[in-house]
Amino acid sequence: MSKIRIANGPYRGRERGLVDKPITIGRDAEAGLQILDRSASRFHCEVFPVGGMWFVRDMESKNGTSINDEKLKDEELLRPGDIIKIGTTEMVFEAGSASADDDSGDRIRYQDDPEMLSNTLEFRVDELADLSEPAEESLSHGAGGRDGGKAVRILYQVGRILAESDRVPDLEARVLDCLVQQLPAECAVVFRRDSASGKLVPNGVRTAAIGIQPVISRSIVKKTFTENKAVHSANALEDERFSRNQSINSKQIRSVVCVPLVVSGSTRGVVYLSRGQGEVAFDQGDLELTSAVALQLSQAQQVREERRKHRVAINQTVSAMVRALEGRAACVGAGERCARAACAVAVAMRLPEDSRERLYMAGLLHHFPRLSGDAMTATRILDAIDDLEPLLPLVRSAYERLDASGPLRTVGDELDTESRILGATTAFAARLSADPGADPAAVIENLSSDPGFDANVTQILLACHMDGSMYKRPDVPGAAMATDRIERP
């Protein structure tokens, strides 16, 4: 029997036994042998058996695989003592059985128990949010009282909502809907600090029924925000902290929970819930549950902000790189012109935000292989950057035509909407770069009569020229500033 032992790095000493099936090595958790190396691809190389012997081959990884410090070019026979190297991680091919690994599935024991199965309820994951409340449990217990299962269900639902996507605009409103319905509450409001005025303004408002006009206690919101402390008032009318507040007394606000939204150590806003007269007051459990939900909202916002900063940095870096190459090739602005035109068409066609951003980036890079002078090298550069790798198929299609006369001879039916948009805007930018004095409308009309381009796309492109939308700064993280704008002819 043979095995592979990791000789260095975070997983030093970990071993994987080789039986009769191939195993993959890479940084992905699904790889047969996972390594934590920045130079490793998700599935980097494969070790496989042939006639009792073991061979290794590279799986078209970005940085390649080495055997005994020699670059692996093809499949190679492994001998005991051979060192497989990926990045700085070294793995030794050895004879013998592998010692038990902490995460080895072989350490699990299984037992068949028909009686247990007969007493088991089965649910799909997406059905958990629809579990009904036990009839004997009363809302008077509160979310954090004896009904701990209810709190878990609410937190699970909130987690599912926030995990769907960081680009869905109404995620926060859906979280408030969940609190209003499940807690329940008469109203739920998120206040956030406006960056311009510094004031707390409502960012989302949800009520238990249509027509309810929420009455908010400014003193409670202000206290929560300024002191960064969660506030719970079972009966705000009798709470000495707010007894002089006019809004509480005049509007008969009975029960309030208000907790801060803290992002990266800074209080950015509050989550405010209230119940009116005749309703069961919030309890300490409700305060704890709302605080947990606010924590989830804060973490989701922080993740969104970090992702946006990352996208801004990538987009600005790509834009600067393209402009530098364009300066050398005397075609400054071609990438930005194509990017803005493609993004404008995508907006007019109501494509989703991620599609617009993808088209903007592909527009910037559409001529990158030609500017660099070596298409293969350019492809390897883009492929080596994780954030740009998904753009490669779109960038490759930039010069394709519906009549299959492009460089790759791609048939029109194989070109999706994004490829058709990029193809038309690439031709538009190229023709204006070749003749800067040309009338853009005439150029677009010429494209409309060309069977190589989608007539619907070119008509929308013309409309974007006429209304000026293709000359405005697109709503894409890191898009060129107004000082770098493409002027309308």
Side-chain angles (χ1 to χ4, degrees):
M1 189 171 180
S2 300
K3 64 181 179 180
I4 295 177
R5 174 176 56 85
I6 301 178
N8 61 355
Y11 288 160
R12 179 181 179 181
R14 177 171 290 185
E15 298 179 351
R16 176 60 192 263
L18 302 176
V19 282
D20 57 351
K21 296 181 179 179
I23 70 161
T24 54
I25 302 175
R27 58 179 170 83
D28 195 280
E30 297 297 325
L33 180 61
Q34 184 184 23
I35 59 173
L36 299 182
D37 194 299
R38 296 183 63 182
S39 298
S41 298
R42 294 175 59 243
F43 299 96
H44 197 101
C45 66
E46 182 183 48
V47 176
F48 61 100
V50 176
M53 299 179 290
W54 288 92
F55 291 76
V56 61
R57 62 184 166 210
D58 189 80
M59 300 178 70
E60 299 182 357
S61 64
K62 296 179 182 178
N63 299 303
T65 306
S66 296
I67 303 296
N68 300 324
D69 289 330
E70 291 186 9
K71 203 75 169 182
L72 182 63
K73 297 181 179 179
D74 203 350
E75 301 172 357
E76 186 164 326
L77 174 66
L78 287 172
R79 299 175 178 81
D82 281 353
I83 297 176
I84 304 171
K85 189 173 183 180
I86 298 175
T88 59
T89 302
E90 296 182 348
M91 293 155 285
V92 185
F93 177 75
E94 299 175 333
S97 300
S99 57
D101 201 349
D102 290 341
D103 60 359
S104 173
D106 297 333
R107 302 177 64 214
I108 299 174
R109 291 193 306 110
Y110 295 93
Q111 179 181 6
D112 293 326
D113 191 345
E115 292 184 3
M116 179 180 291
L117 185 61
S118 66
N119 294 317
T120 300
L121 295 176
E122 296 182 4
F123 297 95
R124 295 199 315 268
V125 172
D126 59 0
E127 290 176 336
L128 292 177
D130 301 324
L131 294 180
S132 58
E133 300 290 339
E136 68 273 12
E137 293 183 352
S138 171
L139 290 175
S140 63
H141 296 161
R146 285 182 289 167
D147 188 8
K150 178 179 179 180
V152 172
R153 283 190 292 273
I154 293 175
L155 290 176
Y156 172 75
Q157 290 178 15
V158 170
R160 282 188 63 195
I161 292 170
L162 295 177
E164 286 185 2
S165 172
D166 66 332
R167 299 187 180 190
V168 177
D170 63 343
L171 288 182
E172 197 165 87
R174 290 168 59 191
V175 170
L176 296 182
D177 279 332
C178 177
L179 291 177
V180 166
Q181 297 167 10
Q182 301 295 329
L183 200 57
E186 183 182 56
C187 80
V189 186
V190 168
F191 288 87
R192 292 194 184 277
R193 186 173 186 176
D194 182 69
S195 57
S197 65
K199 297 180 180 179
L200 285 172
V201 296
N203 195 65
V205 180
R206 285 295 186 271
T207 57
I210 298 175
I212 293 178
Q213 185 174 3
V215 178
I216 308 299
S217 168
R218 291 184 182 274
S219 59
I220 292 178
V221 172
K222 183 178 180 181
K223 181 179 182 65
T224 302
F225 182 80
T226 56
E227 298 182 11
N228 193 29
K229 293 181 179 179
V231 173
H232 165 231
S233 178
N235 191 337
L237 285 172
E238 299 176 0
D239 195 323
E240 295 181 355
R241 294 172 296 175
F242 315 110
S243 59
R244 296 182 180 179
N245 185 263
Q246 185 176 0
S247 66
I248 290 176
N249 287 294
S250 62
K251 300 298 183 179
Q252 300 289 293
I253 298 175
R254 305 294 300 184
S255 183
V256 172
V257 166
C258 192
V259 299
L261 283 170
V262 182
V263 181
S264 301
S266 174
T267 305
R268 303 284 187 86
V270 302
V271 177
Y272 180 100
L273 306 177
S274 70
R275 286 177 180 164
Q277 285 184 300
E279 296 180 340
V280 178
F282 290 122
D283 62 16
Q284 182 66 22
D286 296 318
L287 176 67
E288 294 170 356
L289 173 62
T290 307
S291 297
V293 172
L295 178 62
Q296 287 182 294
L297 285 171
S298 299
Q299 290 175 333
Q301 182 180 351
Q302 183 171 354
V303 169
R304 288 196 297 270
E305 290 179 358
E306 292 300 322
R307 287 181 178 175
R308 183 175 178 83
K309 289 178 182 178
H310 178 73
R311 297 203 304 273
V312 166
I314 288 292
N315 294 357
Q316 289 179 341
T317 300
V318 169
S319 181
M321 176 183 67
V322 169
R323 283 200 301 269
L325 290 173
E326 288 177 342
R328 189 177 64 181
C331 60
V332 175
E336 185 67 27
R337 181 179 291 108
C338 179
R340 294 193 179 197
C343 192
V345 172
V347 171
M349 295 180 69
R350 299 183 179 180
L351 298 186
E353 181 184 352
D354 57 343
S355 182
R356 300 198 298 267
E357 184 173 346
R358 190 161 47 245
L359 277 165
Y360 178 82
M361 291 296 294
L364 283 177
L365 292 165
H366 77 275
H367 56 343
F368 178 68
R370 298 188 177 190
L371 291 175
S372 63
D374 185 346
M376 292 297 295
T377 300
T379 299
R380 283 197 293 269
I381 291 173
L382 297 181
D383 188 54
I385 304 174
D386 288 342
D387 295 82
L388 301 182
E389 183 182 359
L391 292 174
L392 273 175
L394 187 55
V395 172
R396 289 194 184 103
S397 69
Y399 293 93
E400 293 307 294
R401 295 166 52 90
L402 298 181
D403 55 10
S405 62
L408 300 179
R409 300 292 189 269
T410 306
V411 181
D413 291 342
E414 298 176 2
L415 296 173
D416 59 15
T417 300
E418 291 183 7
S419 297
R420 292 170 182 242
I421 293 174
L422 186 62
T425 53
T426 293
F428 171 68
R431 296 186 186 189
L432 284 184
S433 294
D435 184 6
D439 177 16
V443 171
I444 298 173
E445 288 176 357
N446 185 268
L447 293 176
S448 298
S449 61
D450 190 325
F453 304 105
D454 189 306
N456 182 51
V457 170
T458 54
Q459 288 301 312
I460 295 175
L461 181 62
L462 180 60
C464 293
H465 162 69
M466 299 300 293
D467 65 18
S469 59
M470 74 162 65
Y471 305 106
K472 298 178 182 178
R473 182 186 178 189
D475 184 19
V476 172
M481 301 296 289
T483 54
D484 298 323
R485 67 184 183 275
I486 302 298
E487 297 289 351
R488 179 173 182 172

